[in-house]
Amino acid sequence: MTPSDYVLRDLEVPPPVIDVPDDYLHADQSLWSWFVTTDHKRIGILYLVSITGFFILGSIAAGLVRLSLVVPDGEIFTNDVYNRLFTLHGVIMVWFFLVPSIPNTLGNFLLPLMIGAKDLAFPRLNLLSWYIFMGASLFTVFVMVWGGVDTGWTFYTPLSTQYSNGWVLAAVFGVIMVGFSSILTGLNFVVTTHKLRAPGMTWFRLPLFVWGNYATSLILVLATPVLTIAMILLFVERAFGLAIFDPDHGGDPVLFQHLFWFYSHPVVYVMVLPGMGVMSELVTAFAYKKIFGYKFIAFSSLGIAAIGFFVWGHHMFYNGESPYAGLTFSLMSFIVAVPSAIKVYNWAATIYKGEIRLDTPMLYAMGWIGLFVIGGVTGLMLASTALDGHVHDTYFVVAHFHYIMVGATVVAFLGGIHFWWPKITGRMYSEPWGRVSALLMFIGFNMTFLPQYVLGYLGMPRRYHVYPPAFQPLNVLSSAGAVVLAAAYIFPMVYLIYSLWYGERAGPNPWEAKGLEWTVPSPPPKHNFETIPTVDFEPYDYPNVIPEA
Amino acid sequence: MHFLPHYPAQLWPPAASAMAGEIDTIFAVWCVVLFMLVAPVFVFMAYCAVKYRAGRPADREHREARNIRIEMTWMIVPFLITLVFFFWAGTIYLQENNPPPNAMEITALGRQWMWKFQHPGGQAEINDLHVPVGVPIRVNIESQDVVHSLYIPALRLQEEAVPGRTTELWFKADRTGAYNLYCSELCGADHALMAGTLYVMSASGYQNWLKQAGATQTLAAAGKQLFDSYGCSGCHTPNSTVRAPSLAGLYGQVVPLQDGTTVVATDAYIRDSILEPKKQVVAGFKPVMPSFAGTIPDEDMQKIVAYVESLGGSQQTP
Amino acid sequence: MSTTTVGIKLEEQFESEQQQRETAKLGMWTFLATELLLFSGMFISALVIRTLHPDSVTAVALHLKFWIGATNTAVLILSSFCMSVAIESSRLGLQRIMVRAMLLTAALGVLFMCLKGYEYYRDYVEHMTPFLHWRRYELVGDPASRLFTDLYFIITGLHAIHLTIGIGLMLVMSWLASRAGFLQKHQNRIEIVGLYWHFIDLIWMIVFPTLYLLNR
Amino acid sequence: MPPELKQKLRTPIATMLVLLGLLSVNVILGIYFIHGWAWIPEVLITVTMILTVLLVAMEALHEPPLTRLFAFIGFCWVSILLTLTMMDYLTR
């Protein structure tokens, strides 16, 4: 909808009286119906609200960390409070925002709609996983705010088992529980994608968002149990003295690192893969063109999911790991970058000769591609073994993974929220404000994290409460960028919520996009489809040649 | 704070060894490759956004949905380009992992919030490390409690100190100077204060440093650093929040105890009150001091007691 | 024996009964894959501890009650057989035999737990419980042995927890299944519980060699 | 015991006997053969026991190929974790 045909609302005209439609939002307005719903769309919204809350909390912790780093001698917070702040930021952002962000909100909402099903395979399990998620995350956040944990989100032993006097036990218990919620969600999505596709919806007619979501769920199901066991072993070692990693008894802390990173590297692919799924949808819709290389992109999602389990050793090049294991992990890390490269280049090819509409989701998408290439290549720099010797555990690493997690996942999450907002709420957000927030995010993000690459190569270690005064200018620049980034997050929250009541009504397909979810009325009815559609069209069947207007 | 005050703000870290230079070249070539991969993506997208904007007439004919040849090329070619870095960095990684046999051995002991380096001649120093230039040096790293990581950016090297194991790091510094030295693995509250300085000195400079090191660094000076690192300064300094007896001019004084008796503050008394503080509590203070039996080895104890004795009338804040 | 018609109540998001059965089976198999990965984390820790300290691990393995472990494995194999009997009879609609077979499975599970409890008691008597700090540990001279003993307690403990859940599930299922008309609506649930029970037996088949057998 | 149930139980009884047989072989190996290489036959027997339970007792053989894939995917991932972790420990 180019700005020229955007009509400003005429305020004197009273909003039209709407009869209560039977869509899933208005079917039953009572609060109780929301808390016992088994409708995948409502559970998607429950997740959306809860992870937005955690995102705000995590961002506040990040803001305080950036505030503390403005001065080199760390006078603003004591070292203990600083350690607890970045642990709080890490745990909230990893487990309570990024892992559930796209799969549990957009994935929950869109998967049945996109594959033509009435609901997920196990609706009650879906609600149970939300309750486990909420219980575990609220408990853990309370524990980390009230008691405080200072081991970082990595919980390295023996610091976490013997030497930390924070509430490590309670936080580890919370993480184990939130792991169950991811396993249940992953299981639900995997089985739904296999078993509940509409007749005619073969695997190669599935939208690529479903492929991304499927690959993510595979990782969730296959990686999270190893985190659970690593945390259980840590829990029993700290609580009952059952020495497993305890160096005094000959135990090996590197064993915990192996078990932890076997989960924690695939989980960063859990964070980026759904973002890639959203990207395929945004790029095709706003370039109004078939995706370029559907099969390559689909299989590269699975490729990332599978090879992602072979690379975890690149977090441990310099902890006494054997050089041959280090070289193998390094080689596998170079291989896992290949599928990501295919995707990025295929999206660029999709944009080529398209009918590009620079609406907000497209701005987010283009920003995504740029930031992800930077994040990806710096990841390869870290995977080259000798270079990692210098930049491991420095701000270079911090900048790299923020380029992927914020630059790719959060940008895709915001792009996806804007793109499917009319479908979720039946209302249209205000387009000019959307573009402002997308540009502001791009500027603020780069201003925050580009200096950290330089700081990293200069040798500023991460998780440092005090640092040499020479690094202060770059840190102040990064903290200023964080303020701009915070503004760029608050903007969408404001105008999206505003659009709930004052946004104009959106029809079933405001973007003229292709896909089963756009064939149902805007807030979709409770059972998605009156009759399950039979699918005979190719995915993204945008016209090959644009009819001249 | 023991960071080098005169560390000039520049955009490239100093390189103190040949291997550091080589890693810099890898990084520089990587930056070129990064630019080669990123710039075209941004330029291409801007070009398409302008040229193929919705509504602008443009040649949108024969748009393919797949082209195996192109896709295979931009899958294989970037992989091969990046693979060069795997081999290049891999060779250096292997060099890093087998030190030359004739290297000079230095043992580094990481303990919560300080490094202790032991030279072959027996001289020990806290947080700072003096090494001769041009001599291959092998640092055997151990940890006494949690996982630390000896990180020297100027040498582009780090190695984790894993408790229960001896890991090693070797380098041949070939430029004299003072460079920062950090702990880069989160190890608790004062992780950031575990920093120090690597002094690369000429061979002669190093020799006479070794001779003095035994003498100049009096027990008291070493004791002072231990006094901080064991956390004694947390309570026993005038501006600390915890109410604890002041140690200024304590040595030789008569100390009134809680149970009414008095005792002369000899070094035996200082040693005992560190090991079993609750036995002889000073009058008017609560017995809150934790016992350090087992945590302070006796050679450190000797230095700390020497430091406490050296505290004259007014105690300068550390 | 009245062979009642056997079937399942169709949930609204499924198109056919066949689809619902397969979905439930697939969901259970995926869950069992996660359980396998959960236990494999501990098996790998056991292997790593064995590579780091081979002789202290053998010292501990000689202290473990090999015969109780072996009989427990046999007990679980029998219980897994009874579970197959229950599944087969549920497919034929023989409700009473199915319920009795399930109760027998639960009983064998309880027998396993009793043997396990006795084994723990023997460990306690033999001072093989290092985490009880008030009790002198048998191999206190060899600190590395603590690692394997603790891992032994964690693996068998976690397996015992899973088995208790299994027994509870079995008792509840047999109570539900004993009511009239159960097999018409929920025959599928018996198969799912059966999968879970067989899986617990499978995990113990890995535990037995890893802890008792290989390190002797 | 109706005849059709007896007929149906033939395979479960066979699996039980096979498993008990394999178990006893393992036990005998454990008691008498305590040489260095004794773990190879013991591991092979354990693997066969696992396969019998998986394929026959849990009827993975009669399941559609997808379920069979899911039955084995767990073991593949365990082998990934096993090989790469042991590679680090054995070549240290």
Side-chain angles (χ1 to χ4, degrees):
Chain A
M1 200 156 44
T2 49
S4 56
D5 53 34
Y6 174 73
V7 173
L8 279 176
R9 268 179 47 75
D10 183 350
L11 288 180
E12 288 76 26
V13 172
V17 173
I18 42 169
D19 52 358
V20 178
D22 69 343
D23 62 61
Y24 79 102
L25 280 176
H26 303 96
D28 178 349
Q29 298 269 23
S30 73
L31 204 58
W32 176 250
S33 74
W34 274 91
F35 283 114
V36 287
T37 171
T38 56
D39 177 2
H40 66 99
K41 298 182 283 301
R42 287 195 162 198
I43 294 174
I45 291 183
L46 287 177
Y47 266 111
L48 181 62
V49 170
S50 28
I51 60 158
T52 310
F54 287 122
F55 178 68
I56 292 168
L57 211 60
S59 304
I60 290 169
L64 294 177
V65 165
R66 276 304 345 147
L67 176 70
S68 160
L69 287 174
V70 166
V71 284
D73 48 12
E75 285 304 327
I76 299 170
F77 297 108
T78 69
N79 48 27
D80 250 342
V81 170
Y82 178 79
N83 288 353
R84 290 179 178 171
L85 273 177
F86 72 68
T87 306
L88 183 69
H89 172 66
V91 170
I92 288 182
M93 284 306 196
V94 166
W95 280 300
F96 307 146
F97 170 67
L98 281 170
V99 166
S101 68
I102 295 177
N104 291 28
T105 52
L106 295 174
N108 247 328
F109 192 91
L110 292 167
L111 189 59
L113 284 170
M114 280 185 170
I115 60 173
K118 289 202 178 64
D119 203 319
L120 288 176
F122 311 111
R124 288 185 293 270
L125 193 70
N126 203 7
L127 184 65
L128 173 68
S129 102
W130 183 72
Y131 273 106
I132 296 175
F133 170 74
M134 281 313 286
S137 40
L138 287 175
F139 168 76
T140 313
V141 165
F142 166 76
V143 152
M144 290 175 51
V145 169
W146 185 265
V149 174
D150 61 355
T151 60
W153 79 282
T154 40
F155 292 107
Y156 267 18
T157 64
L159 174 65
S160 54
T161 42
Q162 291 162 17
Y163 289 88
S164 165
N165 42 34
W167 292 23
V168 175
L169 269 187
V172 161
F173 176 75
V175 166
I176 293 172
M177 283 304 141
V178 94
F180 289 143
S181 150
S182 333
I183 291 177
L184 296 179
T185 318
L187 184 144
N188 220 333
F189 286 163
V190 162
V191 174
T192 309
T193 320
H194 273 292
K195 286 295 171 189
L196 263 72
R197 281 171 283 131
M201 177 65 91
T202 63
W203 274 90
F204 292 133
R205 287 197 183 131
L206 280 174
L208 286 167
F209 178 79
V210 174
W211 278 89
N213 207 333
Y214 176 71
T216 315
S217 318
L218 267 185
I219 306 177
L220 276 176
V221 160
L222 291 173
T224 318
V226 179
L227 170 83
T228 313
I229 194 60
M231 290 299 168
I232 287 174
L233 291 176
L234 192 149
F235 187 95
V236 291
E237 173 157 338
R238 184 176 168 97
F240 312 119
L242 287 164
I244 300 291
F245 311 115
D246 170 10
D248 309 339
H249 293 290
D252 188 2
V254 176
L255 175 59
F256 174 80
Q257 291 178 17
H258 272 294
L259 292 175
F260 178 79
W261 288 113
F262 181 82
Y263 162 79
S264 297
H265 193 80
V267 95
V268 303
Y269 293 116
V270 162
M271 297 172 195
V272 86
L273 265 172
M276 292 173 171
V278 168
M279 275 300 296
S280 304
E281 303 297 317
L282 298 186
V283 165
T284 45
F286 289 92
Y288 209 71
K289 177 171 177 276
K290 279 190 168 34
I291 188 88
F292 181 87
Y294 175 95
K295 283 208 171 70
F296 265 76
I297 294 185
F299 284 120
S300 63
S301 290
L302 292 184
I304 291 177
I307 308 169
F309 280 93
F310 290 82
V311 297
W312 78 83
H314 57 228
H315 298 275
M316 301 149 62
F317 281 151
Y318 283 90
N319 71 347
E321 185 187 47
S322 88
Y324 308 106
L327 287 177
T328 327
F329 283 122
S330 172
L331 179 65
M332 294 311 288
S333 307
F334 277 87
I335 293 170
V336 86
V338 170
S340 315
I342 303 170
K343 283 182 177 240
V344 168
Y345 293 131
N346 281 8
W347 286 322
T350 313
I351 292 176
Y352 181 57
K353 283 191 178 169
E355 183 82 23
I356 293 170
R357 290 172 294 170
L358 287 178
D359 294 336
T360 319
M362 193 50 168
L363 290 184
Y364 277 120
M366 287 191 165
W368 193 100
I369 293 181
L371 299 179
F372 182 73
V373 172
I374 297 174
V377 176
T378 40
L380 277 178
M381 289 185 187
L382 286 160
S384 10
T385 40
L387 195 52
D388 189 55
H390 176 48
V391 283
H392 175 66
D393 264 343
T394 64
Y395 265 81
F396 195 89
V397 173
V398 172
H400 155 68
F401 66 69
H402 278 92
Y403 258 79
I404 305 283
M405 292 199 203
V406 181
T409 307
V410 175
V411 161
F413 175 63
L414 287 172
I417 290 288
H418 282 83
F419 181 55
W420 282 294
W421 189 257
K423 184 54 65 184
I424 295 174
T425 60
R427 296 284 180 145
M428 207 52 200
Y429 61 88
S430 106
E431 191 50 47
W433 281 117
R435 291 186 187 152
V436 164
S437 79
L439 291 179
L440 200 62
M441 165 123 191
F442 190 78
I443 296 157
F445 171 78
N446 281 309
M447 207 167 126
T448 314
F449 292 110
L450 267 184
Q452 290 185 1
Y453 274 126
V454 180
L455 276 173
Y457 201 75
L458 279 177
M460 173 174 173
R462 65 189 279 207
R463 295 168 168 171
Y464 253 38
H465 172 229
V466 296
Y467 56 84
F471 296 151
Q472 182 170 16
L474 288 171
N475 269 303
V476 165
L477 178 63
S478 180
S479 296
V483 170
V484 176
L485 194 56
Y489 287 146
I490 294 164
F491 257 21
M493 288 179 200
V494 169
Y495 64 75
L496 284 179
I497 292 169
Y498 175 83
S499 79
L500 283 181
W501 289 277
Y502 301 101
E504 54 180 278
R505 313 294 278 157
N509 198 344
W511 312 105
E512 298 123 47
K514 300 296 180 215
L516 276 182
E517 78 270 20
W518 298 107
T519 57
V520 288
S522 245
K526 195 153 178 19
H527 284 300
N528 295 354
F529 304 93
E530 284 75 25
T531 61
I532 296 291
T534 58
V535 174
D536 49 12
F537 47 85
E538 287 306 310
Y540 315 110
D541 55 357
Y542 294 96
N544 216 341
V545 178
I546 300 298
E548 283 317 317
Chain B
M1 253 246 309
H2 17 259
F3 294 113
L4 293 181
H6 62 276
Y7 193 82
Q10 81 264 42
L11 291 180
W12 200 265
S17 74
M19 201 181 288
E22 199 162 340
I23 291 177
D24 279 354
T25 36
I26 294 183
F27 182 68
V29 177
W30 251 124
C31 289
V32 168
V33 169
L34 172 73
F35 184 76
M36 254 169 39
L37 292 174
V38 167
V41 169
F42 275 102
V43 164
F44 178 78
M45 280 201 295
Y47 164 76
C48 287
V50 168
K51 188 160 189 303
Y52 296 103
R53 191 91 186 259
R56 268 171 65 99
D59 151 35
R60 293 190 174 85
E61 294 320 316
H62 48 76
R63 321 173 333 169
E64 326 149 292
R66 75 187 57 76
N67 181 325
I68 301 295
R69 241 178 353 86
I70 296 181
E71 287 174 275
M72 287 308 278
T73 35
W74 65 37
M75 180 166 92
I76 307 288
V77 168
F79 175 60
L80 294 180
I81 293 172
T82 49
L83 211 53
V84 167
F85 292 98
F86 163 70
F87 290 107
W88 188 359
T91 43
I92 298 178
Y93 185 60
L94 286 177
Q95 279 167 24
E96 276 172 3
N97 269 295
N98 31 49
N102 57 4
M104 184 175 104
E105 303 268 338
I106 291 182
T107 54
L109 176 74
R111 176 172 351 115
Q112 254 179 336
W113 307 312
M114 77 170 207
W115 291 105
K116 178 157 158 306
F117 297 104
Q118 194 94 26
H119 289 264
Q123 291 83 359
E125 50 183 332
I126 308 287
N127 280 348
D128 299 337
L129 177 59
H130 295 77
V131 286
V133 73
V135 168
I137 289 141
R138 184 170 118 138
V139 186
N140 297 328
I141 308 167
E142 289 145 12
S143 163
Q144 208 176 352
D145 34 43
V146 291
V147 178
H148 300 274
S149 175
L150 181 61
Y151 174 41
I152 307 161
L155 303 171
R156 310 287 188 272
L157 265 181
Q158 64 185 292
E159 192 65 37
E160 271 191 19
V162 182
R165 264 183 58 203
T166 311
T167 50
E168 65 186 19
L169 160 97
W170 82 274
F171 60 88
K172 182 162 81 64
D174 50 16
R175 259 184 58 206
T176 57
Y179 309 102
N180 269 329
L181 170 145
Y182 302 103
C183 164
S184 67
E185 185 56 60
L186 178 64
C187 54
D190 279 347
H191 165 54
L193 296 180
M194 251 181 98
T197 319
L198 172 76
Y199 295 98
V200 182
M201 316 159 84
S202 63
S204 57
Y206 178 66
Q207 286 315 326
N208 40 44
W209 175 81
L210 275 182
K211 276 195 293 300
Q212 295 149 7
T216 50
Q217 215 202 14
T218 58
L219 287 179
K224 180 182 165 331
Q225 277 170 334
L226 292 171
F227 187 84
D228 298 339
S229 81
Y230 278 112
C232 323
S233 56
C235 308
H236 291 293
T237 46
N239 52 22
S240 96
T241 53
V242 176
R243 227 175 68 73
S246 153
L247 304 175
L250 168 69
Y251 187 61
Q253 241 189 7
V254 172
V255 177
L257 295 182
Q258 194 75 8
D259 52 15
T261 63
T262 61
V263 69
V264 174
T266 62
D267 55 10
Y269 163 75
I270 297 171
R271 175 188 302 275
D272 292 347
S273 48
I274 292 176
L275 294 177
E276 298 108 12
K278 305 215 172 17
K279 209 153 57 117
Q280 295 169 313
V281 180
V282 179
F285 289 91
K286 294 198 298 301
V288 290
M289 174 165 168
S291 146
F292 282 85
T295 46
I296 299 186
D298 34 17
E299 22 127 52
D300 289 358
M301 178 63 78
Q302 184 200 1
K303 290 177 186 150
I304 293 178
V305 169
Y307 170 68
V308 171
E309 283 159 19
S310 73
L311 288 177
S314 68
Q315 184 186 353
Q316 82 286 12
T317 55
Chain C
M1 230 48 80
S2 69
T3 56
T4 52
T5 63
V6 166
I8 47 175
K9 177 165 74 62
L10 195 60
E11 302 223 346
E12 87 286 345
Q13 76 267 21
F14 291 112
E15 293 315 305
S16 70
E17 187 187 302
Q18 167 72 6
Q19 187 189 19
Q20 179 165 348
R21 274 183 196 281
E22 274 176 18
T23 313
K25 274 265 166 72
L26 195 62
M28 195 54 190
W29 275 106
T30 321
F31 175 68
L32 294 182
T34 61
E35 287 285 333
L36 176 74
L37 276 159
L38 183 77
F39 278 93
S40 65
M42 290 187 286
F43 296 141
I44 278 146
S45 308
L47 193 59
V48 163
I49 290 171
R50 189 181 144 72
T51 24
L52 291 178
H53 311 284
D55 34 26
S56 34
V57 162
T58 345
V60 171
L62 295 177
H63 266 275
L64 295 181
K65 321 295 170 286
F66 181 75
W67 282 107
I68 301 183
T71 28
N72 265 343
T73 322
V75 161
L76 275 192
I77 291 173
L78 290 178
S79 70
S80 153
F81 165 70
C82 296
M83 192 66 225
S84 308
V85 167
I87 294 173
E88 291 302 337
S89 46
S90 75
R91 287 190 185 134
L92 298 173
L94 311 167
Q95 194 165 11
R96 264 222 315 285
I97 295 179
M98 175 187 72
V99 169
R100 257 192 237 112
M102 285 169 74
L103 289 177
L104 189 55
T105 318
L108 284 168
V110 168
L111 173 65
F112 175 94
M113 294 299 283
C114 301
L115 280 172
K116 197 71 219 149
Y118 176 68
E119 189 178 354
Y120 281 159
Y121 167 70
R122 290 300 307 161
D123 286 338
Y124 177 80
V125 160
E126 277 182 20
H127 291 272
M128 277 295 283
T129 51
F131 49 89
L132 305 178
H133 41 74
W134 66 81
R135 191 167 180 73
R136 195 188 58 75
Y137 169 46
E138 175 78 18
L139 308 159
V140 76
D142 170 7
S145 67
R146 250 191 87 142
L147 296 177
F148 195 74
T149 346
D150 292 341
L151 197 63
Y152 155 74
F153 277 107
I154 296 173
I155 295 180
T156 44
L158 202 59
H159 178 267
I161 291 170
H162 278 80
L163 191 66
T164 331
I165 298 168
I167 296 170
L169 208 61
M170 196 61 66
L171 293 178
V172 164
M173 264 334 226
S174 53
W175 181 73
L176 287 174
S178 60
R179 290 199 305 204
F182 175 83
L183 277 183
Q184 281 72 18
K185 293 198 288 300
H186 305 300
Q187 188 275 337
N188 200 21
R189 290 187 187 164
I190 309 290
E191 312 228 349
I192 300 300
V193 168
L195 279 181
Y196 180 78
W197 190 271
H198 286 305
F199 186 77
I200 297 181
D201 175 27
L202 187 135
I203 286 289
W204 181 262
M205 276 188 198
I206 307 174
V207 166
F208 176 63
T210 321
L211 291 180
Y212 299 87
L213 196 60
L214 291 178
N215 307 318
R216 288 178 68 79
Chain D
M1 178 74 85
E4 67 277 2
L5 180 60
K6 210 188 300 285
Q7 198 271 337
K8 273 270 198 277
L9 284 188
R10 203 165 290 119
T11 22
I13 293 174
T15 39
M16 182 183 72
L17 294 178
V18 162
L19 288 173
L20 287 176
L22 287 171
L23 174 69
S24 41
V25 169
N26 246 349
V27 164
I28 293 159
L29 276 178
I31 298 293
Y32 297 109
F33 289 88
I34 314 180
H35 312 293
W37 46 264
W39 63 273
I40 300 169
E42 283 160 3
V43 164
L44 286 180
I45 290 169
T46 318
V47 167
T48 32
M49 282 165 81
I50 293 168
L51 284 179
T52 29
V53 169
L54 210 60
L55 297 180
V56 183
M58 298 163 101
E59 287 148 1
L61 276 178
H62 318 303
E63 296 289 344
L66 182 72
T67 324
R68 239 180 284 140
L69 170 75
F70 275 45
F72 286 108
I73 209 159
F75 290 92
C76 309
W77 255 247
V78 169
S79 60
I80 296 171
L81 177 63
L82 185 74
T83 35
L84 287 178
T85 315
M86 288 324 292
M87 195 178 72
D88 175 25
Y89 277 100
L90 295 179
T91 57
R92 197 168 271 180

